[in-house]
Amino acid sequence: MARLLTLVSLLFLSLSSTAVASSSCVAFDSSWNLYAFGFNGKDYNAGTMDTWSSGTPTEITASGRPPFDGTNTTCYLAQFFNAIYVMNADSSNPSNVYIYDVGGKSWSTQATTPGSFDLSDFDAILDHDTNVFYALSKGELFFLSFDGITTSAKSDAIPWTDVQKAPYPDGYQPVMALAQNHIHFLDVPGTAAGSADIFVIHFSFFQPDAQPYGDFPATHGQTTSIFLSESNQVQQEFAFIPDDGSKTYIINVESNTTQSLAGPTNKDAAATYFASDSAIVQFTSSGQLSYIPYKTGGDTSGSWTTIQKLTSVAPTSSGSGSGSSGSASGTSTARGGSSTGTGGSSGSNSTTSNGNGAMGVAERSVSVVFGMGGALILGTLAVLLC
Ligand SMILES: *[C@@H]1O[C@H](CO)[C@@H](O)[C@H](O)[C@H]1NC(C)=O
Ligand SMILES: *[C@@H]1O[C@H](CO)[C@@H](O)[C@H](O)[C@H]1NC(C)=O
Ligand SMILES: *[C@@H]1O[C@H](CO)[C@@H](O)[C@H](O)[C@H]1NC(C)=O
């Protein structure tokens, strides 16, 4: 029996993790409710951190959503507008950015014109105060301005605009993080451990010298900006989790110091992260969700805990709790740093949802179906074994 269970779970992990988790994403809204998008064809609101230890999330699947059949899907919070922007969620229309209006519980679709920007290979942040995305792709920095977009799309396509070539060596795999409206580039070849290279958004300027921030390794990893509790304040810190998951570094760009929290329990170089003002959430490539409590400048003694409320709906689905085998091998996917929204309001023209109705199950490949079936079998076996 145990052997069968292992077999089933291995099959399950190998078939479903790659296809599903990288097509899904998690994000917070401006009230720090945690959202899970593209989980087996549905979207959920898991509520605030105090409710994650049990219960079930609220399904919010609505028309106009993307099919969540893309690769390296990423979500970004525009904090000022309480809107979540989603990239790479529609394999048929890769240049579309989908906008979820949290207040209206509705979707709209923003067309973009990529030009030379490669949507299959980039890392991006959403600047907090300008609502402009910046992305590094193949060594070139681009921006996509959502200034004026707020909570719904406009009818005109928005261009991805080439800013300039980044002054970093060819082949640099971007590790980008946003704080104080500065983009911090970690792991730039030739830059010392503990230092970041900086692009100053407001002056569209790459700082010539790296900035020392304390003690963190010069290695590839994932990042997420940490929001502040005070409403709409720009982030002052970001988390950096190296690919080996050994620690969770918190880099403060005001004090120029780094603290560390426990490394995530699930070591997964392909995991992605999204922080609120009080928690950092990890979403692994096999669909597991956990979090560590942390507030800017606060207690660093927290530990990582599974988000139970999402386990029954997560892409790996409920069986995984019993799960033998380690972390999913899977493919991967570095999804971009997270982050945030902006100042200034401005007219929001509403509009546009493409006709993709709810559930994008159709093209979503057999593996998902199998994955769900596998999860059921797994769950059943787990019950039998108990
Ligand atoms: C997904 O991201 C990974 C890591 O950046 C990259 O190697 C891969 O080519 C991307 N795949 C697609 C289809 O975008
Ligand atoms: C952090 O470094 C910057 C750039 O060197 C400097 O302007 C700032 O004063 C430093 N902050 C502190 C608190 O030392
Ligand atoms: C925005 O809305 C205004 C008023 O409804 C309309 O005149 C204008 O054409 C719209 N612009 C776009 C880009 O949709």
Side-chain angles (χ1 to χ4, degrees), residues 9-24 38 68-73 268 270 283-288 315-316 327-333 335 364-368 371:
S9 64
L10 282 177
L11 271 172
F12 166 70
L13 282 173
S14 63
L15 286 177
S16 70
S17 64
T18 60
V20 183
S22 86
S23 303
S24 312
F68 289 100
D69 63 354
T71 306
N72 296 343
T73 305
D268 178 7
F283 179 36
T284 69
S285 55
S286 60
Q288 293 159 307
T316 48
S327 53
S329 54
T331 43
S332 20
T333 323
R335 290 180 241 145
R364 207 164 154 94
S365 80
V366 187
S367 65
V368 176

Side-chain angles (χ1 to χ4, degrees), residues 45 65 80 85 102 146 200 235:
N45 177 352
R65 71 194 282 277
F80 280 98
Y85 304 149
V102 172
F146 266 39
V200 184
Q235 305 97 327

Side-chain angles (χ1 to χ4, degrees), residues 153-156 348-351:
K154 64 178 183 179
S155 54
D156 302 340
S348 64
N349 267 346
S350 65
T351 330

Side-chain angles (χ1 to χ4, degrees), residues 85-350:
Y85 304 149
V86 185
M87 289 191 194
N88 273 337
D90 182 352
S91 62
S92 307
N93 300 286
S95 60
N96 283 351
V97 179
Y98 287 83
I99 299 175
Y100 183 64
D101 173 1
V102 172
K105 298 185 167 62
S106 60
W107 291 90
S108 59
T109 305
Q110 179 61 55
T112 74
T113 44
S116 61
F117 181 67
D118 182 355
L119 285 145
S120 72
D121 183 7
F122 71 91
D123 199 3
I125 57 91
L126 175 63
D127 183 42
H128 187 270
D129 289 354
T130 60
N131 219 31
V132 174
F133 287 98
Y134 280 86
L136 192 67
S137 176
K138 298 177 170 166
E140 199 77 20
L141 188 71
F142 290 81
F143 74 81
L144 176 73
S145 178
F146 266 39
D147 183 25
I149 292 293
T150 71
T151 56
S152 63
K154 64 178 183 179
S155 54
D156 302 340
I158 301 175
W160 281 93
T161 303
D162 193 341
V163 178
Q164 68 175 93
K165 185 171 163 41
Y168 308 141
D170 288 346
Y172 168 56
Q173 292 297 312
V175 180
M176 287 171 75
L178 176 74
Q180 282 296 10
N181 310 306
H182 288 25
I183 305 172
H184 296 82
F185 292 93
L186 308 189
D187 192 31
V188 173
T191 296
S195 287
D197 287 276
I198 290 175
F199 178 79
V200 184
I201 292 172
H202 295 175
F203 297 100
S204 196
F205 170 69
F206 279 99
Q207 267 182 209
D209 299 317
Q211 168 68 39
Y213 284 119
D215 184 18
F216 59 84
T219 186
H220 190 268
Q222 302 293 327
T223 67
T224 188
S225 296
I226 297 167
F227 289 87
L228 290 176
S229 303
E230 296 78 13
S231 66
N232 292 334
Q233 296 275 327
V234 69
Q235 305 97 327
Q236 298 180 352
E237 295 187 332
F238 61 87
F240 167 56
I241 301 89
D243 285 347
D244 68 6
S246 52
K247 281 186 180 173
T248 303
Y249 294 93
I250 304 290
I251 293 154
N252 184 306
V253 308
E254 284 291 294
S255 62
N256 304 329
T257 58
T258 298
Q259 304 185 81
S260 62
L261 312 182
T265 311
N266 295 313
K267 311 298 182 196
D268 178 7
T272 58
Y273 297 85
F274 206 113
S276 64
D277 67 331
S278 53
I280 300 165
V281 170
Q282 181 201 44
F283 179 36
T284 69
S285 55
S286 60
Q288 293 159 307
L289 287 139
S290 53
Y291 76 101
I292 187 167
Y294 177 73
K295 275 183 179 299
T296 294
D299 183 12
T300 57
S301 68
S303 55
W304 290 85
T305 307
T306 298
I307 300 177
Q308 298 293 350
K309 199 171 182 179
L310 284 169
T311 52
S312 65
V313 300
T316 48
S317 202
S318 54
S320 65
S322 58
S324 45
S325 65
S327 53
S329 54
T331 43
S332 20
T333 323
R335 290 180 241 145
S338 49
S339 293
T340 351
T342 287
S345 44
S346 62
S348 64
N349 267 346
S350 65

